[in-house]
Amino acid sequence: MLKKIIIAGIIGYQKTLSPDHGLVRVLFPGGYCRFQPSCSDYSILAIKKHGLLVGSAKSLGRIIRCNPWNPGGLDLP
Amino acid sequence: MKALLKATIYQPLFNLLIFLVWLMPGNNLGLAIVALTIIIRLLFLPTMIKQGISQEKLKVLQPLIKDIQARHKEDKTAQSKAMIDLYKKAGTSPWGACLPLIVQLIVLGLLYRVFQIGLSTDRFDLLYNFVPHPSAVNVHFLGIDLSKPELWILPITAGLLQFVQTKLSIATGGKGKKKVNADDPMSMAMNQMVYIFPVVTVVIARGLPAALSVYWIITSLFMIGQQLYINLKIRPKIREQFADSEIDLIGKFDDKKENQKKTKDNKKNTTHGVSVSIRKRGEK
């Protein structure tokens, strides 16, 4: 149940604020994210695959990895 | 958790701000905020320029990206793999990152917090020993009290600058100008965002301490400069190299997608012209 709420929250973020999925993606026609999937997609996949606790921890790790000094690339949970 | 955030993020930034206040003539908070903003933007400058350049190149790939997203809507893993594949073939990839966005949000939050707890000297217990303590903080800047919301000049300036910045960054300019497709409600809606966001900015800025508007204005000015550099210096070079090949490029990529399972040599041949032209640019 909590899992569903969290995932709905992430999807809500994707529809609005997200630079890769949301309203401002007009600014980034070639995509925004250096990682594939994007952090939000990654989080959804991770929570579905590993459960809320481990999935969230993995998501947090991904967000920290998603910095200007990381070359990015394919990174699945 | 709250204590951790306070010690690792909030406190260092607060110290930096107060140090800048101490550095500025007349302990002026406005000047300190300008300096803080410029420091933050300079930290992100290399990555922002890199990102801008790759965005320019990636604009050409937009139809292919949309196609991939549509085809793999249900399977994010396959979608990711296809995207990486496309970026590899194009020889470039986006440079956006979450962390800078989060840092910017935190800075906004910090500036807000600073005014919540007040800039009176009694919060200086948060300062590190080696940070000089200014005797007082002057919150007046250009005749405006930065600790209180200012309703007109600063918010509207912030909104206008944001509009200019957004316009500049989506303007394709020159030859490759793409008209908004009126049949596509999505692209219409997005085009409206260019007008809606500045208005939202004005509304929000009116409700927050004027210091935040100053931060906003300097950020926008900086980004406008950045964007002008990309539009005027980088874009012509990229356009030049894509001018003849844009349609071909898409055709070639489509070919490749269909022949994806063929040998790697085949793939290389089909993208030859594209990858070469992109590399040339990279060398400059």
Side-chain angles (χ1 to χ4, degrees), chain B residues 155-227:
Chain B
I156 289 172
T157 313
L160 280 177
L161 287 173
Q162 205 201 348
F163 174 74
V164 172
Q165 188 230 323
T166 319
K167 264 292 195 203
L168 277 175
S169 63
I170 62 163
T172 46
K175 247 187 192 174
K177 198 161 198 165
K178 279 173 199 149
K179 291 266 155 62
V180 182
N181 187 357
D183 300 331
D184 181 2
M186 200 58 165
S187 77
M188 284 295 282
M190 288 198 180
N191 206 46
Q192 286 166 4
M193 285 303 142
V194 180
Y195 301 93
I196 294 170
F197 278 121
V199 174
V200 173
T201 298
V202 174
V203 172
I204 294 177
R206 282 170 58 108
L208 297 175
L212 290 159
S213 301
V214 174
Y215 169 76
W216 235 309
I217 288 169
I218 302 299
T219 301
S220 292
L221 279 176
F222 204 98
M223 306 260 280
I224 286 172
Q226 236 170 242
Q227 197 62 47

Side-chain angles (χ1 to χ4, degrees), chain A residues 13-14 16 19-39 41 45 62-76, chain B residues 43-44 47 50-51 55 58-59 61-62 65 69 76-77 79-81 83-84 87 93-102 165-166 169-170 186-187 190-191 193-194 197:
Chain A
Y13 157 79
Q14 288 188 331
T16 52
D20 197 61
H21 312 271
L23 301 170
V24 294
R25 78 169 179 273
V26 64
L27 297 178
F28 308 103
Y32 177 83
C33 300
R34 61 183 59 218
F35 276 112
Q36 281 294 333
S38 67
C39 288
D41 279 338
L45 289 174
R62 164 57 112 64
I63 291 170
I64 292 168
R65 261 177 291 144
C66 187
N67 62 59
W69 302 277
N70 191 314
L74 186 66
D75 176 35
L76 293 162
Chain B
L43 283 179
F44 290 132
T47 175
K50 224 172 175 180
Q51 193 183 332
Q55 279 305 326
L58 290 166
K59 271 180 187 169
L61 302 181
Q62 193 187 17
I65 291 171
Q69 281 168 346
K76 291 283 179 195
T77 309
Q79 183 184 317
S80 300
K81 282 178 181 155
M83 292 284 282
I84 287 288
Y87 289 147
S93 61
W95 278 99
C98 327
L99 221 53
L101 293 181
I102 294 171
Q165 188 230 323
T166 319
S169 63
I170 62 163
M186 200 58 165
S187 77
M190 288 198 180
N191 206 46
M193 285 303 142
V194 180
F197 278 121

Side-chain angles (χ1 to χ4, degrees), chain B residues 16-29:
Chain B
L16 179 59
L17 183 65
I18 296 300
F19 172 72
L20 290 169
V21 167
W22 173 80
L23 212 58
M24 292 301 151
N27 292 344
N28 192 298
L29 179 69

Side-chain angles (χ1 to χ4, degrees), chain B residues 6-196:
Chain B
K6 194 171 176 182
T8 54
I9 299 163
Y10 174 69
Q11 218 178 335
L13 274 167
F14 180 73
N15 275 272
L16 179 59
L17 183 65
I18 296 300
F19 172 72
L20 290 169
V21 167
W22 173 80
L23 212 58
M24 292 301 151
N27 292 344
N28 192 298
L29 179 69
L31 291 176
I33 290 171
V34 172
L36 178 70
T37 315
I38 291 173
I39 289 172
I40 292 164
R41 296 317 316 174
L42 281 177
L43 283 179
F44 290 132
L45 186 64
T47 175
M48 291 296 283
I49 291 284
K50 224 172 175 180
Q51 193 183 332
I53 293 171
S54 74
Q55 279 305 326
E56 269 310 306
K57 294 177 184 171
L58 290 166
K59 271 180 187 169
V60 186
L61 302 181
Q62 193 187 17
L64 301 177
I65 291 171
K66 271 189 179 161
D67 183 50
I68 288 175
Q69 281 168 346
R71 272 189 302 140
H72 301 292
K73 216 173 179 181
E74 300 305 317
D75 186 355
K76 291 283 179 195
T77 309
Q79 183 184 317
S80 300
K81 282 178 181 155
M83 292 284 282
I84 287 288
D85 219 28
L86 177 65
Y87 289 147
K88 256 188 200 153
K89 284 165 195 162
T92 185
S93 61
W95 278 99
C98 327
L99 221 53
L101 293 181
I102 294 171
V103 171
Q104 283 170 60
L105 270 181
I106 290 170
V107 172
L108 266 180
L110 163 85
L111 289 178
Y112 185 67
R113 272 291 284 165
V114 163
F115 291 105
Q116 253 189 348
I117 62 169
L119 272 168
S120 54
T121 42
D122 52 290
R123 283 313 290 167
F124 281 7
D125 58 309
L126 284 174
L127 291 178
Y128 304 132
N129 286 331
F130 56 85
V131 173
H133 293 34
S135 50
V137 178
N138 178 8
V139 294
H140 290 272
F141 183 55
L142 304 173
I144 292 163
D145 182 351
L146 294 180
S147 62
K148 296 192 177 84
E150 191 272 321
L151 296 184
W152 301 106
I153 305 162
L154 293 177
I156 289 172
T157 313
L160 280 177
L161 287 173
Q162 205 201 348
F163 174 74
V164 172
Q165 188 230 323
T166 319
K167 264 292 195 203
L168 277 175
S169 63
I170 62 163
T172 46
K175 247 187 192 174
K177 198 161 198 165
K178 279 173 199 149
K179 291 266 155 62
V180 182
N181 187 357
D183 300 331
D184 181 2
M186 200 58 165
S187 77
M188 284 295 282
M190 288 198 180
N191 206 46
Q192 286 166 4
M193 285 303 142
V194 180
Y195 301 93
I196 294 170

